[in-house]
Amino acid sequence: MSTAASEGYKNRCRIAVDTCSDLTPEIAATLDVDILGFPYILDGVEKADDIWTSMTPKWFYDQIRSGVKASTAAISVGRYLEYFTECAEEGTPTVYLAFTSALSSSYEHACIAADEVREKYPDFELYVVDNALPCACGELLVLEAVRQRAAGLSAAQLAEWANESKTYVHGYFTLDSLDSLAAGGRIPPAAAQISSKLDIKANLSFDLSGSLTLTGVNRGRKKALKSLVKAFKENYVLDPNLPMTIVTSDCEKDGDWLESAIRKEPGCADLTIIRGAVGPTIGAHVGPGMVAVIFWGKNRADKASLTDRIAKKVRG
């Protein structure tokens, strides 16, 4: 093997994400990214999130509209053991960009499995990164991670890059209803009832840990969508080389309006905007009618509150 070829192999690594990143199987295969599927429960039946391979978004969200209950479960330690062992036996360094630990125990499960695999395969390079990013925000991180891998970053460097880069990813979204969040125990049922009666639409984002945060409320859908554009204008840093994402849960017309509004902003007419459908794992919690705009922008750590900065220091 030539020196150049050896160096190329040394820098190669496997990159894995989970279905919470809403990366489609087709894109994942093209980019050589592995996807680990979250389980979810629909009408009492457990299913594997295959990112709309076995059903359409409309069918799934129509089920929720009709009153069918949807919930999720974490990826098991056993599934992580299976995957990490496969990677270790292959011998290729591996980086797993896990769904935020603030909203799921899957990251903890991955760490438990990773420790066990490292003990059995002490020479194997395995890095588990808490992406601290909900929904398709993880998609933007992995898309750029693939480019950095191609540019020559090793697995160790890629894990460090991801930890440094994730605070530059922004995500802002609005929900048509708070019913699914209430059903999943994320908010009190009374709050959802009041919101529905008053036609109040919540705008949300997430903090440095990946926990959901309320950024504002609006009377009516159109004002809520305009608030997303406002958040984009305040936090976006123009870079035509970096794509952005708009995802919806079966409300494509609102996604179209949002894309059109963003393209009217200075320098944004020709931006690469990836459109996607919120998958069942996240969709079980947000329900139909979610619209999100996701992009690379200012470092969110620079805007963190005093208490968030203290929390970050405590976490190390």
Side-chain angles (χ1 to χ4, degrees):
M1 184 182 291
S2 68
T3 301
S6 299
E7 188 66 23
Y9 178 80
K10 184 180 76 172
N11 285 335
R12 181 182 177 272
C13 70
R14 293 178 74 160
I15 297 176
V17 295
D18 46 59
T19 45
C20 287
S21 293
D22 287 330
L23 188 70
T24 67
E26 295 78 15
I27 293 177
T30 300
L31 299 178
D32 190 21
V33 172
D34 299 332
I35 302 179
L36 296 168
F38 263 72
Y40 68 97
I41 298 91
L42 185 65
D43 201 18
V45 179
E46 182 172 313
K47 301 174 181 290
D49 186 348
D50 58 13
I51 319 175
W52 309 127
T53 300
S54 59
M55 70 181 77
T56 65
K58 178 169 176 51
W59 184 88
F60 175 80
Y61 289 111
D62 277 347
Q63 293 293 299
I64 295 179
R65 290 185 181 102
S66 69
V68 171
K69 302 300 182 184
S71 60
T72 61
I75 299 175
S76 68
V77 174
R79 176 66 184 102
Y80 283 123
L81 277 172
E82 178 185 5
Y83 174 72
F84 292 154
T85 299
E86 172 194 315
C87 296
E89 290 177 347
E90 181 185 90
T92 306
T94 299
V95 179
Y96 171 46
L97 304 176
F99 179 59
T100 172
S101 63
L103 298 177
S104 172
S105 59
S106 285
Y107 170 73
E108 180 183 353
H109 292 177
C111 289
I112 292 171
D115 286 342
E116 188 171 329
V117 170
R118 292 189 194 102
E119 185 174 345
K120 187 175 180 180
Y121 300 89
D123 296 328
F124 174 54
E125 281 191 80
L126 173 59
Y127 304 91
V128 178
V129 178
D130 179 357
N131 73 11
L133 300 170
C135 192
C137 299
E139 179 180 21
L140 282 196
L141 189 70
V142 72
L143 290 176
E144 186 59 18
V146 167
R147 193 175 76 83
Q148 295 300 332
R149 176 179 63 182
L153 288 191
S154 66
Q157 291 168 334
L158 196 59
E160 182 179 356
W161 171 87
N163 272 315
E164 291 292 327
S165 299
K166 60 191 181 184
T167 57
Y168 291 86
V169 178
H170 291 249
Y172 302 90
F173 60 100
T174 188
L175 305 176
D176 191 45
S177 165
L178 297 178
D179 291 343
S180 291
L181 284 179
R186 305 295 195 205
I187 63 170
Q193 294 171 4
I194 293 173
S195 172
S196 177
K197 289 180 179 179
L198 299 179
D199 194 27
I200 294 175
K201 308 301 181 184
N203 282 75
L204 300 102
S205 186
F206 51 93
D207 61 18
L208 295 180
S209 73
S211 295
L212 299 183
T213 59
L214 180 68
T215 59
V217 293
N218 298 273
R219 294 293 295 270
R221 182 72 159 181
K222 186 54 66 73
K223 287 183 179 179
L225 292 173
K226 288 181 177 179
S227 292
L228 297 183
V229 179
K230 181 175 182 289
F232 172 79
K233 292 167 63 175
E234 291 174 349
N235 296 283
Y236 180 62
V237 175
L238 181 63
D239 186 341
N241 296 313
L242 293 175
M244 59 176 294
T245 301
I246 292 175
V247 293
T248 66
S249 54
D250 198 29
C251 53
E252 283 297 290
K253 288 185 178 179
D254 288 336
D256 293 342
W257 182 93
L258 183 58
E259 178 177 348
S260 176
I262 285 174
R263 290 197 183 280
K264 292 175 183 176
E265 295 301 314
C268 296
D270 298 319
L271 285 181
T272 299
I273 299 180
I274 301 170
R275 295 290 296 272
V278 179
T281 305
I282 300 298
H285 294 287
V286 300
M290 171 179 159
V291 184
V293 57
I294 301 161
F295 53 91
W296 290 91
K298 300 173 183 177
N299 187 357
R300 291 183 288 113
D302 293 339
K303 298 173 62 178
S305 68
L306 174 61
T307 54
D308 282 340
R309 291 173 187 270
I310 295 171
K312 184 178 180 183
K313 183 178 180 180
V314 170
R315 293 189 191 98

